[in-house]
């Protein structure tokens, strides 16, 4: 595929953390994504990695905690418009919190996914968030407001992000499935403290 065709500059919908096309294609290659693969991005954001997986013929499922990112800015600027722009089948998108994945989805008798390909939030470009309130006694959401309620979130420690990602992978990856994610490399990384 002509990688320049999928450049971020040409997409109708982007966010501050949208994954570069070339890097997301490298990740899909490492995950052995191909025609008919079932792929999950549990931290999908604007769907850049899902788009690269779909270009390789995969069935794609993306989840994210932020419903506003999943919905997009408008009917002309959202994840689905990016897929339509390139003639790709729409991904399945689900609002869920990776920290409580087991509460969102019923445990399948057989793992479903061939690969998880994702770019976890590390707080460098955007802070990681999980469901919950910072208040000790949050107000309950009234039943009549639940249909369009945007859940409160609180900070999500990087160590918890990674532990939960490993837990999801253990639950949903088939035997031989692959987990591919990005870890930022810092020149001042100290193995003792970091």
């Amino acid at each position: 595929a002509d990688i320049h065709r999928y450049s971020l500059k040409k997409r109708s919908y982007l966010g501050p953390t949208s994954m570069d096309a070339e890097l997301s294609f490298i990740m899909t290659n490492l995950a052995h994504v191909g025609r008919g693969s079932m792929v999950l991005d549990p931290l999908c954001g604007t769907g850049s990695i899902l788009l690269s997986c779909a270009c390789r013929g995969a069935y794609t499922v993306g989840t994210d905690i932020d419903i506003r990112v999943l919905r997009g800015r408008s009917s002309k600027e959202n994840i689905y418009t990016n897929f339509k722009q390139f003639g790709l089948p729409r991904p399945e998108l689900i609002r869920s919190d990776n920290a409580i994945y087991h509460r969102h989805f019923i445990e399948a008798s057989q793992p479903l996914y061939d690969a998880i390909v994702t770019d976890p939030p590390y707080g460098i470009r955007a802070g990681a968030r999980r469901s919950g309130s910072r208040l000790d006694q949050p107000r309950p959401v009234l039943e009549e407001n639940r249909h369009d309620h945007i859940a409160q979130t609180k900070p999500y420690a990087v160590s918890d992000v990674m532990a939960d990602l490993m837990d999801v992978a253990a639950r949903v990856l088939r035997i031989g499935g692959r987990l591919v994610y990005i870890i930022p490399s810092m020149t001042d990384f100290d193995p003792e403290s970091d």
Side-chain angles (χ1 to χ4, degrees):
D2 177 16
I3 198 147
H4 301 294
R5 177 178 180 223
Y6 301 101
S7 166
L8 292 180
K9 294 176 187 175
K10 298 180 180 180
R11 296 189 195 170
S12 65
Y13 180 55
L14 294 175
T17 61
S18 293
M19 172 69 70
D20 174 72
E22 188 171 4
L23 184 53
S24 61
F25 276 110
I26 290 169
M27 292 174 72
T28 62
N29 189 42
L30 291 170
H32 294 185
V33 173
R35 186 153 315 283
S37 296
M38 289 290 297
V39 180
L40 171 67
D41 182 348
L43 305 155
C44 74
T46 59
S48 294
I49 292 173
L50 295 175
L51 192 128
S52 295
C53 292
C55 286
R56 293 185 181 263
Y59 298 103
T60 57
V61 178
T63 68
D64 201 275
I65 193 168
D66 192 342
I67 190 67
R68 296 166 296 188
V69 172
L70 294 176
R71 287 181 182 160
R73 290 186 194 94
S74 70
S75 63
K76 294 183 176 156
E77 280 186 90
N78 59 58
I79 295 172
Y80 296 135
T81 57
N82 284 348
F83 278 71
K84 184 177 181 183
Q85 174 183 355
F86 298 111
L88 298 169
R90 289 168 56 129
E92 297 295 329
L93 298 176
I94 304 159
R95 190 266 175 210
S96 78
D97 180 351
N98 209 47
I100 53 174
Y101 187 92
H102 62 283
R103 288 177 44 196
H104 291 293
F105 300 96
I106 297 170
E107 191 90 23
S109 60
Q110 295 290 319
L112 180 63
Y113 296 102
D114 299 301
I116 293 175
V117 186
T118 194
D119 179 14
Y122 295 105
I124 295 168
R125 291 180 289 170
R129 312 291 297 168
R130 63 172 292 165
S131 297
S133 174
R134 292 180 185 192
L135 304 174
D136 292 334
Q137 297 291 327
R139 290 181 318 195
V141 179
L142 300 175
E143 192 61 41
E144 62 266 19
N145 296 334
R146 288 183 176 255
H147 70 282
D148 66 350
H149 175 72
I150 296 174
Q152 292 183 2
T153 61
K154 61 185 180 182
Y156 191 16
V158 172
S159 57
D160 292 338
V161 170
M162 295 310 298
D164 292 336
L165 180 58
M166 297 300 146
D167 180 63
V168 169
R171 291 173 186 272
V172 305
L173 279 177
R174 293 180 177 155
I175 298 296
R178 290 181 171 237
L179 169 61
V180 177
Y181 57 91
I182 294 290
I183 292 182
S185 175
M186 296 163 233
T187 56
D188 60 348
F189 181 80
D190 178 15
E192 294 295 320
S193 63
D194 297 330

